[in-house]
Amino acid sequence: MPNLLAVQRTGRVRPVGRDGLVRRVLAVLAAGVTLAATPLASAHAAPAATVLPPLPGGTFGVAFGIDDNGVVVGYAGNAAGQMHAVRWSADGRRVKDLGTLPGDVESVAYTVWEDGTIVGMSAGPDEVEDAVKWTRYGAVRLPGLPGATDTRAYGINEHGTAVGISSTPAGVHRPVKWSPRGKVVELATLPGDPAGGVGGINDHGVSVGYSGTPGGVLTSLRWAADGRPTVLAPLPGDDSSHASWINNKGVAVGHSFVAGDQPLIRPLRWEADGTPTVLELPPGDTGGSSWAINDAGYSTGYTHSPGGQAHAVRWAPDGTVTKLGVLGAGAAEGYQINAQGDVAGYTTSGDGATLAALWKD
C-alpha cells in the first residue's frame, strides 16, 4: 500500500518534513492519546484514533503504511530533529528506529507487508535518495536507473515485488518495478511523456501510477504484470488524474483534476473495468484525494475545505464519506488502510505539531 506526504501538483510525492513542513517547534505528546472523533451524519461511524509516539527526544511523525496485522510504518523525528523510518507495534505503544543506509542521515518507510518486509527511501547529507527494502536482516539498497538522483520504493506485494520511482540524471521521475531479488525494470509511460511514477501494486502484479507531460498533464496508468500499460480515464471534464493504489480486485483510487496552477482536485475510484467514479465529499469541502483502498472496497485519503485545510477521511464501498477524528484544528490525512479498515496517517495538534496517527474502529 503506498504513499504520501505532501503531493505536489506535478504528481510527485514527497514525504512531509524534508521541505520544512514539520521543521518547527513541536509539542511532545505522550503515546496513546485518544483523539475526539467527528462523525458525519452517516451510517458509518468514525473510528477512534490514537497518536503514535515519536522516537526518544523527537517531536513529530507521520504514519504511511499499515499491514493486516496492524503494524504501522512511517517516519518519526529523532532527538537530532532528523526524519528516521520507524515501525510501530500493532498496539501503537512501541516505536522502533529502522535506521538508514550507511552514511545516510534520514529515511522514510512507506509500506509494510505481513512478513515484516518494509520499503521506503534513505537519504544522505547531499539529499540524494535511494530506495530501501528493510528485512529482518537489515536495510538493503534497491538499485535505481543509471545516473538516478532520486529513487524511492512506495509499495510491495506478497511476492516481494516492489514499485516506485527512479529519476533520470536530470531529475525527472520515471516509473520502476523491482523483482523480489531486487532487479530494477523501467515501466512504460505514454509516447512523448518524459515523467511517470508508480504508487501501488497488488498481489497479482498489477500496478498503478501516472504518466506526465512536460506541461504537467498527468494520465493515470494501470500496468499489467507483464508491464503493458492501460490508460485510466479522469473524471468527465478533467484532463488529468493520478492513480495511487490498487486492490486485489483491480479497483484503484486516486484523484482527478484539470492541469493548472491551482487545480480543483477531486477524489475518485476506478472500477475494475476502468470506469471512473467520483467519491463523496463532506459538506462544505471542495476537493481531495484517495490514497489507498482495501479488498473490501474501503478507501482513505483526505478532503479539503475551500481554504485548503485537509481532513482525514474514510470512504465506504458505496462511496459515502466519514471524517476521521483529529487532535486540533490543523490538517490531517489518511494514507493507507488495512483489511480491518484501520487507517494510518497524521493529525495536527492545536499548537501545530504534526503527529503520526492510527484510526481504528
Side-chain angles (χ1 to χ4, degrees), residues 167-195:
S167 70
T168 66
V172 178
H173 288 178
R174 297 291 299 172
V176 294
K177 178 170 67 173
W178 291 272
S179 71
R181 292 183 177 272
K183 181 181 178 181
V184 65
V185 175
E186 184 174 2
L187 295 176
T189 53
L190 295 181
D193 283 5

Side-chain angles (χ1 to χ4, degrees), residues 29-39 46-52 312 323-333 343 345-350 353 355-360:
L29 254 79
V33 176
T34 300
L35 309 186
T38 54
T50 57
V51 169
L52 300 174
K323 276 189 177 180
L324 303 180
V326 295
L327 182 62
E333 296 189 43
V343 172
Y346 80 94
T347 186
T348 308
S349 69
L355 303 165
L358 172 64
W359 288 272
K360 300 183 72 170

Side-chain angles (χ1 to χ4, degrees), residues 3 24 50 65 85 104 133 146-147 164 177 190 246 248 270 294 325 352:
N3 282 34
R24 52 184 178 264
T50 57
D104 285 354
K133 179 165 69 175
K177 178 170 67 173
L190 295 181
I246 185 168
N248 286 325
W270 288 274
N294 66 16

